[in-house]
Amino acid sequence: MTSLMEAVRAGRTAEVIGLLNAMTDAERRAYFPELKALRKELRATRWDTPSRRAYPALYVAGVACQTGAAGVASWISAADMRWPGVSPAVLLRVLADRETGWLTDLADRLAQRPASSGVPYELMSALVRLAGCPVPTTDAYVRGWAQQVGGEWRHGNTLVERLRTDPHLVPLVAALFEVTEIGGLLQWAADEGPGSWHGALGQLTAEGRLDRKATVDACVARLLRGGTTADHRAFLRVLTSLALTREEQRERVADWMALTSDAVPPVASHAQSVLGTLALDGQLSHRRLAEVSGAVLFRPERKLVRAQLVLLGKVLARDAAAADDLLPAVAQAFGHEDAGVQERALKLAQRHVKKVRSAEVRADIALAAEELSPPLRSQAVGSLGAAPVKAAAAYEEVLPLVPEPARLAPAAASVVELAEEVGAALESDTDVTGFERALDGLVRHAHRDRDALLRALEPVISRRWWDGTDQYYDLRLNHQFGDARGSFDAAGGLDLLLVTLRGKLKTGTLRGSGRARTPGRTCVHTALSQAFDTRLWEVACRMRTDPLPFLLSTPTWSTGLLEPDELVERLDAYRRLGARVSEADFAQALLRVRRADRPAAAAAAERAAALGTAEGRRLARWLTAGAPVLPAIRRRTSASRILAESGELLELQEDFPDAFRALGEPSSAFTESRYCYHWDYSPRPHWLAVLPELRELVAVRLLRDLSSLAVDDTRGAASVLPPLAESDGEAGEATHLCVAYGLGARHPEDRLAAVDALLVLAARGQLDVSRLGADLGELVRDGAVKPLRLAESLRTAAATGAYATVWGLLGHALPPLLSDLAADKPDGPARGLGDLLAVAAECAERSGARGDLPHLARAADRGGSSRLVAQARRLRGALAPEAAAA
């Protein structure tokens, strides 16, 4: 053992530097093979005390003992060297004597590394200073620079003062506009003035330290390129701080047009205001204004569309000659999804149509009026020369095809095919079909040839996080799989079987971890997760002690349902093989077997009883007991939430293992436990497959999660809604409330999932519009669901062709909200009620709904021209067109 290597192993970094300084380059190079060997050795025990002690010294020695810049850059930025605790100043002590060209090469190589490699900016900038080379403008370097210069506020000077003294200000600011997703960094500094990035860049540009044209061009180009919300916000503030002159604005008309048409709303609004100023000053041609208007008027943001119509109205009022160019653009808004926009556009066209000189333009406007809603189109007949409204054909509701469950294919025939399926399932959030096929395949092939299965799975297992060899991985593995409180998703369940095959869990752990939960440490989800997990633990334990030939509980269909004839055939195969049935696997099979088809269940029961086995007799009793019956479900209120709880279901507590009996116990809406550990939403669809004919019992236990989508603005829980809608059993109180909360979710992807569920329930004839509509009205009234979000969801559902369905919902949701309006409650109407009325009016117009809506007349008779009043009048006219015409 050499003295240098002893010092490295002991972690004596200062001593290592002293020894290295006394060596020649050749002597340093001679040590590098030993350092590489030590690095490989430490990787296996990276987190133990000797390794943590040795890493800083190893880090420094490896940098000093290499002569190539490429090797040093790789050593510095390596993942296992990322947290050695060595300051850049220490590295510079062993690098300072290198040649200038070599230091330049190293600085460039380090700067080319991704920012995620964690190369310290202080090291890169110091190398640039030592080498005197041009500053790198890579992503990592610019991010590091922005983070450092923006974070030095503790020094007492402002950001603009720090930037003034930066010798590389110009190239780094230019590069700042090229780096993606940097907006968050630019907002760390103070909000306004010289302490903010936008204020500092504006001031430096005004002082002439930054070239004005280059900065403006770079900023506009950055906004045109798009990016994250933070990027848009940051660079828009920079642009406004530059205070462009009228000449600078006029030079970039094409850019403003592109931004107005396609940029995010804040950026588009700014560009729109610039174009509006130019248009009113006569510095934007009518043809170009018409061009950009055509694009803006197709945007869904009503604020932008209204502003564009206001601008067009001002230009038309000033210049009659503009009508031939601009009114065709106005007419494009006749097809806008929002009826309020259509009405504004129609009034504008009616006001200025007499100024049109071209007969061809008049004809085009009249043709475009056919896109108006029926009430507005009737107004356009006389004023714009539109064709009279034809008698409407009988309305026909358009709903999606009823989704058919997919039949599971047999398990993979070969271990190679199975390994591919398992690998794919582990890399994605696999559905019930993929998970159950992979699970059954692992059980079957482990029974046939365990060694062949392990060989085929080797490429899959070697990529799993738990397949390390040191103590750290063993500790983490035992924490993950040895904790009885853990809850599995699909990947975790497959990992459990792979870990068992690999022999990394003791038999005692496999037997003990599948036990039932301690009653005092449960939450509303525990009954479902416990049943799901217990089956996995028992299958894993049997894989170790007495492998099962196959699983009894593998479903026939993607919803989790198991056909009774198939279960009888599997029990018969077990009887012939003399295989011992797994208690949890059989319990899950009973819960999955289809009982709603009474003739098929009765026929299968006779065959099951004839098997002469205990399991056959148990299956026969279960199938002849009748179709699944729900326990009592009742509503409960918790602050602004409406929740549900279920009563006792005795048939799930008799003759079932302990781990499954909780499924039949009462579920309370007020037993939310601080011990809840079910933060991951991915297992939820698999919980539905635990009780595929009793989805209400699952929905009751998921309801609080789904209420948080609307009340607490959480994200992701709605992914369970489409599978919930496709599941079997009664769609009752809890299922409808789940969909209601999803329709009012904060995030668009959750609302879209709820819309899918709504349409599937409607297509299957399981949607109770009166129940869901009343729930929505109550939730909006209580503040749990925001009307604007609900309006967007229902507008999306209606646009698929489900106008009658959505009108049915709103016909029951609106009366309590309009009642509050009629009562002149002190807090005023719910914000967004006008949007709900707009959706209701469109649905009533398109579906031909007629009748009286309670309290609507009072809202329609209110004074003013607010959106709420206008849409109330429109809805009243749609429901009673004869009275409106009179």
Side-chain angles (χ1 to χ4, degrees):
M1 183 73 68
T2 64
S3 57
L4 177 65
M5 298 306 298
E6 289 175 351
V8 169
R9 285 186 177 275
R12 299 193 293 268
T13 305
E15 182 180 340
V16 167
I17 293 174
L19 292 171
L20 290 170
N21 287 338
M23 294 180 187
T24 63
D25 287 344
E27 289 172 333
R28 291 181 182 181
R29 286 195 298 271
Y31 277 110
F32 188 65
E34 293 184 67
L35 294 171
K36 286 178 62 179
L38 177 58
R39 178 185 179 185
K40 183 176 181 181
E41 176 188 330
L42 295 182
R43 280 176 180 164
T45 57
R46 184 177 177 185
W47 302 106
D48 63 9
T49 301
S51 295
R52 292 198 303 270
R53 182 172 57 241
Y55 257 110
L58 174 63
Y59 187 50
V60 174
V63 168
C65 292
Q66 297 183 75
T67 56
V72 173
S74 297
W75 187 277
I76 290 174
S77 59
D80 58 330
M81 295 291 183
R82 192 166 298 170
W83 311 109
V86 176
S87 71
V90 174
L91 292 181
L92 291 171
R93 288 177 59 186
V94 299
L95 292 173
D97 60 346
R98 304 293 178 102
E99 295 179 355
T100 299
W102 190 94
L103 293 173
T104 299
D105 189 13
L106 178 61
D108 287 339
R109 290 178 182 275
L110 291 176
Q112 292 293 337
R113 300 281 170 169
S116 58
S117 64
V119 177
Y121 167 76
E122 294 83 355
L123 176 61
M124 293 187 288
S125 61
L127 289 171
V128 169
R129 287 195 301 272
L130 282 174
C133 61
V135 64
T137 54
T138 63
D139 182 272
Y141 194 94
V142 175
R143 285 181 186 278
W145 170 74
Q147 187 169 359
Q148 186 192 58
V149 74
E152 290 183 342
W153 53 269
R154 298 181 185 86
H155 295 174
N157 52 359
T158 63
L159 177 60
V160 71
E161 291 170 339
R162 295 193 294 274
L163 290 174
R164 279 197 193 104
T165 61
D166 194 314
H168 306 294
L169 174 66
V170 173
L172 288 174
V173 168
L176 197 66
F177 292 100
E178 301 296 329
V179 175
T180 59
E181 297 185 16
I182 200 170
L185 281 177
L186 301 187
Q187 296 181 77
W188 281 1
D191 287 338
E192 299 297 338
S196 66
W197 272 99
H198 62 274
L201 293 179
Q203 187 169 336
L204 292 171
T205 303
E207 294 172 1
R209 296 177 183 271
L210 295 173
D211 180 81
R212 182 173 181 82
K213 186 178 185 306
T215 304
V216 172
D217 287 344
C219 194
V220 172
R222 186 67 183 80
L223 291 172
L224 284 168
R225 203 171 79 210
T228 64
T229 301
D231 283 353
H232 284 121
R233 186 182 298 117
F235 289 109
L236 178 59
R237 296 182 79 178
V238 173
L239 182 63
T240 55
S241 72
L242 294 173
L244 270 61
T245 65
R246 187 58 51 81
E247 180 62 30
E248 289 173 325
Q249 293 174 344
R250 190 168 54 250
E251 290 173 353
R252 297 170 176 82
V253 166
D255 295 332
W256 307 131
M257 292 176 65
L259 290 172
T260 305
S261 303
D262 301 319
V264 296
V267 178
S269 179
H270 174 78
Q272 184 185 48
S273 67
V274 173
L275 289 175
T277 302
L278 294 173
L280 293 175
D281 286 350
Q283 299 179 356
L284 183 68
S285 70
H286 296 154
R287 192 171 298 279
R288 300 196 90 175
L289 178 58
E291 181 183 345
V292 72
S293 296
V296 175
L297 294 177
F298 271 111
R299 293 188 62 135
E301 300 91 357
R302 291 197 304 271
K303 184 177 179 181
L304 287 173
V305 174
R306 287 197 299 265
Q308 195 68 22
L309 289 174
V310 169
L311 172 62
L312 290 171
K314 290 180 179 179
V315 175
L316 285 166
R318 291 186 178 192
D319 186 358
D324 286 74
D325 288 324
L326 298 186
L327 277 186
V330 172
Q332 293 186 52
F334 292 168
H336 197 275
E337 64 181 18
D338 184 78
V341 170
Q342 292 184 20
E343 185 175 8
R344 284 174 177 266
L346 175 60
K347 289 180 178 179
L348 183 59
Q350 289 171 331
R351 191 179 308 126
H352 298 285
V353 70
K354 293 181 180 179
K355 300 175 183 178
V356 175
R357 291 169 293 183
S358 169
E360 184 179 353
V361 170
R362 285 179 178 271
D364 289 342
I365 295 172
L367 183 63
E370 296 181 6
E371 298 294 324
L372 292 165
S373 63
L376 295 177
R377 184 177 171 185
S378 62
Q379 298 177 30
V381 172
S383 59
L384 301 183
V389 180
K390 297 179 182 178
Y395 172 75
E396 184 175 349
E397 185 84 338
V398 179
L399 293 172
L401 295 175
V402 177
E404 295 292 336
R407 178 180 281 274
L408 265 70
S414 70
V415 290
V416 174
E417 181 185 353
L418 174 62
E420 293 176 353
E421 290 187 7
V422 171
L426 289 170
E427 294 299 325
S428 62
D429 291 333
T430 186
D431 58 9
V432 171
T433 301
F435 171 70
E436 293 291 346
R437 285 194 71 237
L439 191 69
D440 188 42
L442 287 171
V443 170
R444 289 174 183 269
H445 286 284
H447 179 266
R448 294 174 190 167
D449 191 338
R450 181 192 187 95
D451 292 336
L453 176 60
L454 269 173
R455 287 193 297 272
L457 288 170
E458 183 59 35
V460 177
I461 292 176
S462 63
R463 295 196 300 268
R464 303 308 293 160
W465 62 265
W466 44 261
D467 197 43
T469 57
D470 63 11
Q471 185 181 9
Y472 164 75
Y473 291 103
D474 289 339
L475 290 172
R476 187 176 170 193
L477 185 146
N478 280 285
H479 173 74
Q480 180 86 0
F481 293 106
D483 187 351
R485 293 177 299 157
S487 178
F488 288 121
D489 58 6
L494 295 175
D495 267 331
L496 174 63
L497 266 63
L498 296 181
V499 167
T500 303
L501 284 168
R502 194 65 138 179
K504 283 182 167 287
L505 285 178
K506 298 178 181 178
T507 304
T509 301
L510 293 171
R511 285 176 175 157
S513 293
R515 63 181 179 273
R517 305 289 187 264
T518 305
R521 296 174 67 85
T522 61
C523 67
V524 71
H525 311 97
T526 299
L528 295 165
S529 67
Q530 180 175 271
F532 182 77
D533 296 354
T534 299
R535 170 180 172 237
L536 292 171
W537 280 113
E538 192 166 303
V539 167
C541 185
R542 288 289 300 272
M543 187 177 281
R544 172 71 56 80
T545 59
D546 182 14
L548 297 167
F550 52 84
L551 292 177
L552 295 172
S553 57
T554 301
T556 307
W557 304 101
S558 55
T559 58
L561 274 177
L562 171 58
E563 293 298 335
D565 283 343
E566 286 193 32
L567 181 54
V568 174
E569 291 171 2
R570 293 173 189 174
L571 286 175
D572 189 25
Y574 262 63
R575 179 186 60 81
R576 293 194 307 270
L577 293 170
R580 181 168 61 90
V581 171
S582 162
E583 184 181 51
D585 185 40
F586 183 54
Q588 178 62 88
L590 292 177
L591 294 175
R592 283 178 170 171
V593 71
R594 188 194 296 273
R595 294 194 293 162
D597 185 345
R598 298 309 304 148
E606 292 183 11
R607 292 181 56 206
L611 293 177
T613 63
E615 289 77 21
R617 291 188 292 273
R618 173 74 177 96
L619 175 58
R621 292 196 305 272
W622 180 252
L623 290 174
T624 55
V629 178
L630 278 174
I633 306 289
R634 63 172 182 167
R635 297 159 69 97
R636 300 296 297 272
T637 301
S638 175
S640 64
R641 302 174 200 247
I642 302 173
L643 301 176
E645 54 189 23
S646 61
E648 190 173 40
L649 189 57
L650 290 177
E651 74 169 355
L652 295 186
Q653 299 183 58
E654 299 170 351
D655 298 329
F656 273 93
D658 289 342
F660 287 80
R661 290 178 183 171
L663 293 169
E665 294 175 356
S667 171
S668 171
F670 302 102
T671 56
E672 195 70 5
S673 170
R674 66 180 183 274
Y675 297 113
C676 182
Y677 44 85
H678 302 93
W679 309 291
D680 182 8
Y681 295 130
S682 61
R684 271 49 170 181
H686 299 276
W687 292 350
L688 279 167
V690 172
L691 294 170
E693 281 193 317
L694 291 169
R695 64 173 153 195
E696 273 290 283
L697 287 187
V698 182
V700 163
R701 291 173 166 86
L702 300 181
L703 188 52
R704 183 173 286 274
D705 295 337
L706 287 155
S707 71
S708 294
L709 294 170
V711 178
D712 301 324
D713 293 348
T714 58
R715 184 197 296 264
S719 60
V720 76
L721 287 175
L724 180 68
E726 294 174 20
S727 193
D728 289 280
E730 180 183 341
E733 191 87 47
T735 299
H736 281 74
L737 279 171
C738 285
V739 175
Y741 284 118
L743 293 172
R746 162 67 178 82
H747 298 283
E749 64 270 23
D750 289 320
R751 293 198 296 270
L752 190 59
V755 169
D756 288 343
L758 171 72
L759 296 175
V760 167
L761 288 174
R764 298 182 72 187
Q766 298 173 339
L767 180 67
D768 186 335
V769 292
S770 61
R771 167 181 278 167
L772 181 56
D775 286 343
L776 289 170
E778 188 172 352
L779 291 171
V780 170
R781 197 178 196 183
D782 294 341
V785 167
K786 293 180 172 56
L788 285 172
R789 298 175 184 174
L790 177 60
E792 184 176 336
S793 295
L794 295 182
R795 186 179 292 113
T796 301
T800 66
Y803 293 102
T805 299
V806 175
W807 164 245
L809 295 176
L810 287 170
H812 291 88
L814 286 172
L817 305 177
L818 294 172
S819 173
D820 292 343
L821 185 66
D824 291 325
K825 292 184 66 174
D827 51 356
R831 181 174 179 268
L833 179 56
D835 290 83
L836 284 176
L837 287 168
V839 177
E842 182 175 3
C843 291
E845 291 166 356
R846 291 182 179 271
S847 64
R850 297 291 184 268
D852 180 48
L853 188 68
H855 311 292
L856 176 63
R858 178 73 179 270
D861 291 337
R862 289 165 65 98
S865 58
S866 67
R867 179 171 176 78
L868 187 154
V869 173
Q871 296 305 322
R873 292 170 183 167
R874 177 188 170 199
L875 177 56
R876 182 173 62 178
L879 294 175
E882 299 81 6

